[in-house]
Amino acid sequence: MKKFYTLSIAVCLSVFVSAQTATFTFTYTGFTPQAQAAFEYAAGIWAHTVVSAVPIKVLAHFQQLPTGTLGITFPNGRKNFTNAPLPDKWYSTSLANSIAGVELNPGEVDIEIYLSSTTNWYYDSTGTVPSGKYDFVTIALHELCHGLGFLSIAKKTGTTGSLGMLTSTDFYPFTTSYPWPNLDTLPSVFDSFLVTDQNEQLDTFPNPSILLGSKLTSNAIYFNGTNAMAANNGTRPRIYAPLTFALGSSITHFNEATYPAGNINELMTPNGNPGYKLHDPGPLCIGVLKDIGWTISPNVGIAETNKEEPIFSVYPNPAYDYLFTSSSISNEKIKSIELKNMLGEKMMDMENNSRVSVSDLPKGVYFIIFKTLNYQSVQKFIKG
Ligand SMILES: [Zn+2]
């Protein structure tokens, strides 16, 4: 698992584990220990990606699914809750809870996931996926993302398309432990960002209607969110909208052909790929999550752009009695840490992940110079 390091004066001196920004709780039916471990590994990736003060409750079933189906996810939903950014849109409860700052659905789970127990899975989170096997972590990561709200509630029956008319019988025999809400012909917040190639919003068409039905299978649907577009060089990411509507695949994914296996944005396409893994949501998915209302951990961007660069910090600033140093790399890789005054004169040598007394230093501005074999960082601090 990728480690994210945090640069914060609040960080305890000796703690350099990555910063978890959300908590998941789990209830399982039918899981094996190795499936459970891989599932929690995937949830851990999301726990370091999205920010929520309210624990995200997951009920996961490990059982036989229809042939060819790897997973099915039902996010619980709320609309028009306190602080809802957009009115009359369905939000996954994990997102609604995060925005509201309180648990809006006590006694109900947020995400209900079915994963196939008969698939030829690869459970190891670290190794190379053998050809012919499906990577469990990748698929769990994908399904959990639907649970977080990467989800359309569009449907097409005959030629008629609709938003917010899904019922539990559409997914028979799969059910949810929480009451299926009356969706009230309202779109999900994800749906509210979808547009045609003419930039017409899907949720502005008559609902239900044959016109909306034709758009759902137009092979020309795009996600019109500013964050997703910014992550896509200013253009709208393409949504999967094949000419034949497939419930559970159409509209609720990125377009398969645009983001094929190997693409960094492949996670949220409809098809899983054997012999292949992706343990990163990818920038377009992160953009979509931001657009629908998620706060994303600031460490996500750092990890992407700054992977090789160590992070050094000194604190507190200003310092009066003691000054602490910390870094994201091991002590043996550090060449030197020197404290210098404004004239560039070395006042003392410092150790990594330690503290020194600065009470004898005159008040003023000082510099800490961290050096490794191929990197240098200079930080200013004030002796108060
Ligand atoms: Zn999916």
Side-chain angles (χ1 to χ4, degrees):
M1 180 168 182
K2 217 175 272 171
K3 284 215 177 0
F4 304 118
Y5 297 104
T6 178
L7 176 63
S8 160
I9 58 167
V11 172
C12 170
L13 189 63
S14 59
V15 175
F16 279 101
V17 294
S18 47
Q20 188 170 308
T21 47
T23 308
F24 284 77
T25 64
F26 307 96
T27 308
Y28 296 105
T29 69
F31 266 65
T32 60
Q34 57 179 178
Q36 192 170 318
F39 188 79
E40 285 174 27
Y41 182 91
I45 295 171
W46 286 119
H48 292 80
T49 301
V50 296
V51 178
S52 183
V54 182
I56 299 168
K57 297 164 287 178
V58 179
L59 171 56
H61 309 276
F62 197 51
Q63 64 180 62
Q64 187 164 3
L65 299 184
T67 306
T69 301
L70 299 171
I72 304 169
T73 299
F74 302 103
N76 199 346
R78 288 291 185 276
K79 61 174 164 58
N80 296 333
F81 51 90
T82 308
N83 300 328
L86 299 170
D88 295 335
K89 317 287 182 213
W90 286 102
Y91 287 77
S92 64
T93 53
S94 55
L95 174 54
N97 289 346
S98 167
I99 293 169
V102 294
E103 186 184 18
L104 302 167
N105 57 329
E108 301 174 5
V109 298
D110 297 303
I111 300 173
E112 192 144 355
I113 293 183
Y114 291 85
L115 285 158
S116 164
S117 60
T118 55
T119 296
N120 189 13
W121 291 115
Y122 178 71
Y123 293 102
D124 189 343
S125 59
T126 55
T128 304
V129 186
S131 62
K133 286 191 178 240
Y134 286 90
D135 183 52
F136 193 91
V137 172
T138 300
I139 303 304
L141 198 64
H142 172 109
E143 295 302 331
L144 283 162
C145 188
H146 285 311
L148 295 171
F150 193 113
L151 191 92
S152 169
I153 51 175
K155 171 164 100 170
K156 188 169 180 180
T157 307
T159 55
T160 301
S162 65
L163 294 171
M165 289 182 69
L166 290 173
T167 66
S168 59
T169 53
D170 289 322
F171 298 94
Y172 181 85
F174 300 98
T175 56
T176 55
S177 59
Y178 51 86
W180 191 277
N182 174 2
L183 296 175
D184 250 346
T185 67
L186 295 174
S188 67
V189 60
F190 177 92
D191 286 322
S192 73
F193 283 95
L194 301 181
V195 296
T196 67
D197 53 356
Q198 304 300 311
N199 203 20
E200 309 154 297
Q201 260 179 261
L202 275 194
D203 66 357
T204 59
F205 290 106
N207 180 27
S209 69
I210 291 173
L211 180 59
L212 178 56
S214 71
K215 301 300 180 187
L216 294 179
T217 49
S218 61
N219 204 18
I221 298 295
Y222 300 84
F223 191 90
N224 190 35
T226 51
N227 290 291
M229 286 173 67
N232 199 38
N233 299 318
T235 60
R236 300 177 183 93
R238 188 161 182 180
I239 294 294
Y240 185 63
L243 301 178
T244 301
F245 191 83
L247 184 64
S249 291
S250 289
I251 313 298
T252 200
H253 293 99
F254 286 137
N255 190 39
E256 185 70 47
T258 312
Y259 312 104
N263 188 291
I264 55 165
N265 293 304
E266 192 273 338
L267 184 72
M268 292 314 292
T269 61
N271 297 342
N273 300 291
Y276 174 74
K277 73 179 192 183
L278 182 57
H279 293 182
D280 188 317
L284 294 194
C285 175
I286 294 296
V288 167
L289 293 176
K290 279 187 189 172
D291 285 324
I292 65 173
W294 274 106
T295 301
I296 299 297
S297 165
N299 299 323
V300 169
I302 290 170
E304 288 308 311
T305 58
N306 229 1
K307 246 176 235 170
E308 303 306 325
E309 242 172 42
I311 295 171
F312 295 112
S313 64
V314 293
Y315 54 97
N317 189 5
Y320 298 90
D321 301 314
Y322 291 102
L323 188 65
F324 296 84
T325 63
S326 66
S327 78
S328 62
I329 60 174
S330 59
N331 288 354
E332 52 271 22
K333 289 184 180 164
I334 293 174
K335 211 168 139 195
S336 63
I337 306 174
E338 297 175 341
L339 190 157
K340 293 186 175 180
N341 65 14
M342 291 279 282
L343 302 172
E345 297 165 333
K346 184 164 92 172
M347 308 300 287
M348 65 176 79
D349 284 306
M350 301 178 74
E351 301 262 304
N352 187 38
N353 291 344
S354 66
R355 68 167 198 183
V356 293
S357 169
V358 293
S359 55
D360 291 335
L361 284 179
K363 288 183 180 179
V365 176
Y366 294 84
F367 298 96
I368 310 288
I369 297 102
F370 290 87
K371 281 184 186 166
T372 68
L373 285 175
N374 47 23
Y375 183 78
Q376 175 171 313
S377 165
V378 180
Q379 310 225 353
K380 191 163 75 171
F381 94 97
I382 293 166
K383 167 65 184 7

